[in-house]
Amino acid sequence: MAGLRTVGAIALTLAVLALLGADVSHMVTGAMAAMVATFAIKEKQRREQALTLALGLPVALVAMSLGALLNTRVVAGDLFFIALIFAAVYSRRFGDRGTALGLIGFQIYFVALFVRATSAALPGLCGTLAVAFACSAVVRFGLVVETPERILLRLREAFRARLAQLVSAQIELLDAGPDRAEKALEDVRRHTARLHESAMMIQGRLEEGTSNSATASLVQRRVADAEIAAERLGVLLLTARSAERADTLTLHLPHAPVPPAGDRLRAQDDTTATLRRDLNALRLLVIRPVSNDRGTAVAHLRNRLLGYRDEENLPRASAVVQDVFRGIGEAARSVLGLRLALDGPQDESDDTPATTRSREELDAEDVAIAGAEETVPGGNDRKRLERPTTRAAVQVSVGSALAIVGGEFLSSQRWYWAVLTCWVVFLNTASTGEILVKGYRRLLGTVLGVVAGVGLAGLVGSHTWTAFALVLLFIFAMFFTAPLSYALMSFFVTAMLGLLYTLLNTYSASVLVLRIEETALGAACGVIAAAVILPVHTDRRTDELLGTVLTRLGDVTGAAVEQLSGGPALDLLDRARDLDTALDDLRASTQPLTHPITPLRSRRQTARYIVALLETCAYHARSLAATAELLPYSKTIAADPRLKGAGRRIAHNIDVLVARVEDDDSDGVAETGASLASILETDAPGPPRHDRVTGRVLRHLQRLDEGVIGLARPLGVTVSTPDKASPRGRVP
């Protein structure tokens, strides 16, 4: 929608300016102003958007006026440009509005340089800015209306689609032969990651997109349940088709080998056929709108799948295959909860006892979910140059000063391209490595865009409206490809600029070659400034985020075990989402370490391994949290005080890892020993007496314990096996 809204604002601006008889220079100015006035504003509420847009117009007028007045005063213009850059970056500390106003000021000043604004042309240019901002407002609030509720609705539909795609991938994994197993497993990994991304996007929109906090908490809970159930179903299915129990890490580590196939699921077996049928039924329940649920067919499918939550309804099969059917039953329950939360009450006339029980559990959860209290963020104790916004402002200003000096040597007319690149590579980056990777991608996209620009300029020639139509197409493509590839986005930006040069009659092959040179210079200046001025090295950044992830992992695990042991009810879901957010930040910060251009191959593999292990640990922590939140109102799950002892070793080992990350000289020792399940055993003969739910909790704890110990080796933490005097091992 952002791309459509931006293209609509530009098209409307061009139409109005054409009716007013504006020349090409003013139309280019209007198009670029409409673009920045539209994409710079990120507030979620319409009132806040309108206020920012209204404040943006005077900022744009001042920037354009100063750009025109300082056009002939080289030194004064350069000094003001550097000051403007510092202010624009520093303003990010004031939230979305500060970021938007800073971006508008910088971009409009750049537009003044691009169209070579003069004092004589200033009245017409200011009128063009007013038209552009007015058209942006008309499109935003009248033609392409975007409200938080609509955004959340689309995200919910996207989540359903992602969930259905994951179930389809799991069906492919079930049917995959030895030659297709690796590709099928990779598809499951990809769709699992995409489902998680959708869940995180919904999380960020719930507060503004729902009527009250209780509704937000309910939707959050149902989305989390569906995500966890679908991921668990994938693990169970992988285990059932393998010769031995599959490691959860296999679903998170890229290119991990497929476990050796077993013989529990045969292609022509009746159980396999039933499993395939039920997975298809689950997919139908996910994707089918409630409005289409006429008749009894869907109710019959739902009742059958929910019946697998009762032991007597499970088909005769091995234990691991029965676990898959249980997983289908739990996934069906989560889908029922999701449909109730998103679509409201539904017909209950055809419910079986199993479906009625599931509805009663969901109703009890709905009653128990209270409005979450908003957490007041802790004060930022960083001061002056330690603040990220202040540090970035200083770095960008120094880098821009270098870009101005170097750009003047390359061209006294178009030196500002180097400054623009220096500015851009600092956007949404937090370390020197991230800036280096972003600069490389921008340079790659620019080189390819120049080649395309040369061809397009020859094809377009003097056809003004054809060029503007292609500009609109490329702007939409720029927004569409931005989440996918920064290099591809840079390609469309450069191709678009080649068309704008053609419109301004300043196009030549030498100009586009100069664009490559200025881009390389700007990227180099940005990297130099980031590496020399108040540097934040990639190792430091990743260590900080790794410590945060481990701390939050310990918080979620400890709170979940406490509640599962009979402790007080805690807000586990928000803690689990905080863990996911921290893990996403860590994953983004490791991109410089995992990028193909990274020369240290072993370091790249280590970074991928650590992130995959943390994703595995996060999955088990989320599963523990989801199970613990069922305790207050579930008829099938009861607290087990013995579980508290099973969590102590994990808590100790996480503390040791955190201490190691924060201090390389830490000499803490991680401990391992007997299986955590042995802690619940008694001295009485016979099999363990814990129930199936407790067994599932223990499996999650055991995998979590193994994952934490797996992190000890790459982090350089010593692992010590306790004295095995006790058959059940020692738990610190």
Side-chain angles (χ1 to χ4, degrees), residues 182-198:
E182 186 171 348
K183 181 182 182 302
L185 180 57
E186 190 61 36
D187 288 342
V188 171
R189 288 194 194 107
R190 184 176 71 256
H191 289 299
T192 300
R194 288 179 175 177
L195 182 68
H196 175 70
E197 291 172 1
S198 296

PDB file of all heavy atoms in Angstrom, residues 182-198:
ATOM      1  N   GLU A 182      15.246 -33.039   0.803  1.00  0.00           N
ATOM      2  CA  GLU A 182      16.009 -31.850   1.176  1.00  0.00           C
ATOM      3  C   GLU A 182      15.283 -30.568   0.771  1.00  0.00           C
ATOM      4  O   GLU A 182      15.184 -29.621   1.553  1.00  0.00           O
ATOM      5  CB  GLU A 182      17.401 -31.900   0.527  1.00  0.00           C
ATOM      6  CG  GLU A 182      18.317 -30.780   0.987  1.00  0.00           C
ATOM      7  CD  GLU A 182      19.740 -30.972   0.502  1.00  0.00           C
ATOM      8  OE1 GLU A 182      20.060 -32.075   0.014  1.00  0.00           O
ATOM      9  OE2 GLU A 182      20.521 -30.009   0.614  1.00  0.00           O
ATOM     10  N   LYS A 183      14.754 -30.552  -0.442  1.00  0.00           N
ATOM     11  CA  LYS A 183      14.003 -29.368  -0.899  1.00  0.00           C
ATOM     12  C   LYS A 183      12.730 -29.180  -0.080  1.00  0.00           C
ATOM     13  O   LYS A 183      12.365 -28.046   0.276  1.00  0.00           O
ATOM     14  CB  LYS A 183      13.653 -29.501  -2.377  1.00  0.00           C
ATOM     15  CG  LYS A 183      12.896 -28.290  -2.937  1.00  0.00           C
ATOM     16  CD  LYS A 183      12.529 -28.489  -4.393  1.00  0.00           C
ATOM     17  CE  LYS A 183      11.810 -27.254  -4.938  1.00  0.00           C
ATOM     18  NZ  LYS A 183      10.581 -26.946  -4.165  1.00  0.00           N
ATOM     19  N   ALA A 184      12.039 -30.276   0.236  1.00  0.00           N
ATOM     20  CA  ALA A 184      10.816 -30.175   1.029  1.00  0.00           C
ATOM     21  C   ALA A 184      11.110 -29.626   2.421  1.00  0.00           C
ATOM     22  O   ALA A 184      10.359 -28.786   2.944  1.00  0.00           O
ATOM     23  CB  ALA A 184      10.144 -31.547   1.126  1.00  0.00           C
ATOM     24  N   LEU A 185      12.213 -30.076   3.027  1.00  0.00           N
ATOM     25  CA  LEU A 185      12.586 -29.573   4.344  1.00  0.00           C
ATOM     26  C   LEU A 185      12.955 -28.093   4.278  1.00  0.00           C
ATOM     27  O   LEU A 185      12.602 -27.311   5.173  1.00  0.00           O
ATOM     28  CB  LEU A 185      13.753 -30.392   4.904  1.00  0.00           C
ATOM     29  CG  LEU A 185      14.268 -29.976   6.285  1.00  0.00           C
ATOM     30  CD1 LEU A 185      13.154 -30.008   7.322  1.00  0.00           C
ATOM     31  CD2 LEU A 185      15.430 -30.868   6.714  1.00  0.00           C
ATOM     32  N   GLU A 186      13.641 -27.689   3.225  1.00  0.00           N
ATOM     33  CA  GLU A 186      13.991 -26.280   3.063  1.00  0.00           C
ATOM     34  C   GLU A 186      12.739 -25.421   2.912  1.00  0.00           C
ATOM     35  O   GLU A 186      12.676 -24.299   3.434  1.00  0.00           O
ATOM     36  CB  GLU A 186      14.903 -26.106   1.836  1.00  0.00           C
ATOM     37  CG  GLU A 186      15.524 -24.729   1.718  1.00  0.00           C
ATOM     38  CD  GLU A 186      16.408 -24.380   2.893  1.00  0.00           C
ATOM     39  OE1 GLU A 186      17.104 -25.268   3.433  1.00  0.00           O
ATOM     40  OE2 GLU A 186      16.395 -23.193   3.301  1.00  0.00           O
ATOM     41  N   ASP A 187      11.725 -25.943   2.230  1.00  0.00           N
ATOM     42  CA  ASP A 187      10.458 -25.214   2.099  1.00  0.00           C
ATOM     43  C   ASP A 187       9.782 -25.058   3.459  1.00  0.00           C
ATOM     44  O   ASP A 187       9.213 -23.998   3.769  1.00  0.00           O
ATOM     45  CB  ASP A 187       9.521 -25.945   1.137  1.00  0.00           C
ATOM     46  CG  ASP A 187       9.962 -25.827  -0.313  1.00  0.00           C
ATOM     47  OD1 ASP A 187      10.777 -24.925  -0.608  1.00  0.00           O
ATOM     48  OD2 ASP A 187       9.515 -26.641  -1.152  1.00  0.00           O
ATOM     49  N   VAL A 188       9.825 -26.100   4.274  1.00  0.00           N
ATOM     50  CA  VAL A 188       9.241 -26.011   5.617  1.00  0.00           C
ATOM     51  C   VAL A 188       9.973 -24.961   6.434  1.00  0.00           C
ATOM     52  O   VAL A 188       9.352 -24.156   7.157  1.00  0.00           O
ATOM     53  CB  VAL A 188       9.277 -27.381   6.319  1.00  0.00           C
ATOM     54  CG1 VAL A 188       8.881 -27.256   7.787  1.00  0.00           C
ATOM     55  CG2 VAL A 188       8.355 -28.364   5.616  1.00  0.00           C
ATOM     56  N   ARG A 189      11.303 -24.942   6.344  1.00  0.00           N
ATOM     57  CA  ARG A 189      12.082 -23.917   7.057  1.00  0.00           C
ATOM     58  C   ARG A 189      11.659 -22.519   6.615  1.00  0.00           C
ATOM     59  O   ARG A 189      11.447 -21.626   7.443  1.00  0.00           O
ATOM     60  CB  ARG A 189      13.583 -24.104   6.787  1.00  0.00           C
ATOM     61  CG  ARG A 189      14.233 -25.280   7.455  1.00  0.00           C
ATOM     62  CD  ARG A 189      15.745 -25.129   7.383  1.00  0.00           C
ATOM     63  NE  ARG A 189      16.414 -26.375   7.715  1.00  0.00           N
ATOM     64  CZ  ARG A 189      17.020 -27.163   6.832  1.00  0.00           C
ATOM     65  NH1 ARG A 189      17.052 -26.825   5.550  1.00  0.00           N
ATOM     66  NH2 ARG A 189      17.595 -28.283   7.214  1.00  0.00           N
ATOM     67  N   ARG A 190      11.578 -22.322   5.301  1.00  0.00           N
ATOM     68  CA  ARG A 190      11.266 -20.989   4.766  1.00  0.00           C
ATOM     69  C   ARG A 190       9.872 -20.537   5.191  1.00  0.00           C
ATOM     70  O   ARG A 190       9.693 -19.392   5.632  1.00  0.00           O
ATOM     71  CB  ARG A 190      11.380 -21.003   3.247  1.00  0.00           C
ATOM     72  CG  ARG A 190      11.170 -19.619   2.628  1.00  0.00           C
ATOM     73  CD  ARG A 190      11.384 -19.614   1.136  1.00  0.00           C
ATOM     74  NE  ARG A 190      10.319 -20.319   0.420  1.00  0.00           N
ATOM     75  CZ  ARG A 190      10.450 -21.526  -0.103  1.00  0.00           C
ATOM     76  NH1 ARG A 190      11.599 -22.171  -0.016  1.00  0.00           N
ATOM     77  NH2 ARG A 190       9.443 -22.097  -0.746  1.00  0.00           N
ATOM     78  N   HIS A 191       8.905 -21.427   5.100  1.00  0.00           N
ATOM     79  CA  HIS A 191       7.541 -21.034   5.455  1.00  0.00           C
ATOM     80  C   HIS A 191       7.381 -20.868   6.966  1.00  0.00           C
ATOM     81  O   HIS A 191       6.563 -20.043   7.411  1.00  0.00           O
ATOM     82  CB  HIS A 191       6.547 -22.061   4.922  1.00  0.00           C
ATOM     83  CG  HIS A 191       6.390 -22.026   3.433  1.00  0.00           C
ATOM     84  ND1 HIS A 191       5.932 -20.906   2.761  1.00  0.00           N
ATOM     85  CD2 HIS A 191       6.649 -22.952   2.466  1.00  0.00           C
ATOM     86  CE1 HIS A 191       5.904 -21.148   1.464  1.00  0.00           C
ATOM     87  NE2 HIS A 191       6.337 -22.371   1.254  1.00  0.00           N
ATOM     88  N   THR A 192       8.144 -21.608   7.757  1.00  0.00           N
ATOM     89  CA  THR A 192       8.125 -21.402   9.205  1.00  0.00           C
ATOM     90  C   THR A 192       8.652 -20.012   9.546  1.00  0.00           C
ATOM     91  O   THR A 192       8.077 -19.301  10.388  1.00  0.00           O
ATOM     92  CB  THR A 192       8.965 -22.473   9.915  1.00  0.00           C
ATOM     93  OG1 THR A 192       8.438 -23.775   9.621  1.00  0.00           O
ATOM     94  CG2 THR A 192       8.957 -22.271  11.418  1.00  0.00           C
ATOM     95  N   ALA A 193       9.734 -19.602   8.910  1.00  0.00           N
ATOM     96  CA  ALA A 193      10.300 -18.271   9.145  1.00  0.00           C
ATOM     97  C   ALA A 193       9.331 -17.180   8.702  1.00  0.00           C
ATOM     98  O   ALA A 193       9.171 -16.159   9.377  1.00  0.00           O
ATOM     99  CB  ALA A 193      11.634 -18.132   8.411  1.00  0.00           C
ATOM    100  N   ARG A 194       8.665 -17.388   7.573  1.00  0.00           N
ATOM    101  CA  ARG A 194       7.711 -16.385   7.086  1.00  0.00           C
ATOM    102  C   ARG A 194       6.500 -16.273   8.008  1.00  0.00           C
ATOM    103  O   ARG A 194       5.970 -15.178   8.226  1.00  0.00           O
ATOM    104  CB  ARG A 194       7.262 -16.739   5.675  1.00  0.00           C
ATOM    105  CG  ARG A 194       8.348 -16.526   4.616  1.00  0.00           C
ATOM    106  CD  ARG A 194       7.862 -16.910   3.229  1.00  0.00           C
ATOM    107  NE  ARG A 194       8.864 -16.603   2.214  1.00  0.00           N
ATOM    108  CZ  ARG A 194       8.724 -16.889   0.925  1.00  0.00           C
ATOM    109  NH1 ARG A 194       7.614 -17.477   0.503  1.00  0.00           N
ATOM    110  NH2 ARG A 194       9.669 -16.582   0.061  1.00  0.00           N
ATOM    111  N   LEU A 195       6.054 -17.390   8.553  1.00  0.00           N
ATOM    112  CA  LEU A 195       4.949 -17.342   9.502  1.00  0.00           C
ATOM    113  C   LEU A 195       5.344 -16.540  10.734  1.00  0.00           C
ATOM    114  O   LEU A 195       4.556 -15.735  11.256  1.00  0.00           O
ATOM    115  CB  LEU A 195       4.542 -18.764   9.897  1.00  0.00           C
ATOM    116  CG  LEU A 195       3.351 -18.874  10.856  1.00  0.00           C
ATOM    117  CD1 LEU A 195       2.067 -18.423  10.172  1.00  0.00           C
ATOM    118  CD2 LEU A 195       3.209 -20.303  11.375  1.00  0.00           C
ATOM    119  N   HIS A 196       6.569 -16.733  11.188  1.00  0.00           N
ATOM    120  CA  HIS A 196       7.057 -15.977  12.342  1.00  0.00           C
ATOM    121  C   HIS A 196       7.122 -14.487  12.022  1.00  0.00           C
ATOM    122  O   HIS A 196       6.752 -13.646  12.855  1.00  0.00           O
ATOM    123  CB  HIS A 196       8.435 -16.495  12.747  1.00  0.00           C
ATOM    124  CG  HIS A 196       9.072 -15.705  13.853  1.00  0.00           C
ATOM    125  ND1 HIS A 196       8.608 -15.742  15.148  1.00  0.00           N
ATOM    126  CD2 HIS A 196      10.120 -14.841  13.849  1.00  0.00           C
ATOM    127  CE1 HIS A 196       9.350 -14.947  15.893  1.00  0.00           C
ATOM    128  NE2 HIS A 196      10.270 -14.392  15.133  1.00  0.00           N
ATOM    129  N   GLU A 197       7.569 -14.135  10.831  1.00  0.00           N
ATOM    130  CA  GLU A 197       7.622 -12.722  10.438  1.00  0.00           C
ATOM    131  C   GLU A 197       6.226 -12.105  10.439  1.00  0.00           C
ATOM    132  O   GLU A 197       6.045 -10.968  10.904  1.00  0.00           O
ATOM    133  CB  GLU A 197       8.253 -12.595   9.049  1.00  0.00           C
ATOM    134  CG  GLU A 197       9.738 -12.927   9.007  1.00  0.00           C
ATOM    135  CD  GLU A 197      10.272 -12.985   7.585  1.00  0.00           C
ATOM    136  OE1 GLU A 197       9.480 -12.739   6.650  1.00  0.00           O
ATOM    137  OE2 GLU A 197      11.471 -13.268   7.410  1.00  0.00           O
ATOM    138  N   SER A 198       5.247 -12.834   9.933  1.00  0.00           N
ATOM    139  CA  SER A 198       3.874 -12.327   9.932  1.00  0.00           C
ATOM    140  C   SER A 198       3.363 -12.121  11.355  1.00  0.00           C
ATOM    141  O   SER A 198       2.688 -11.120  11.648  1.00  0.00           O
ATOM    142  CB  SER A 198       2.949 -13.296   9.182  1.00  0.00           C
ATOM    143  OG  SER A 198       3.306 -13.388   7.820  1.00  0.00           O
TER     144      SER A 198
END
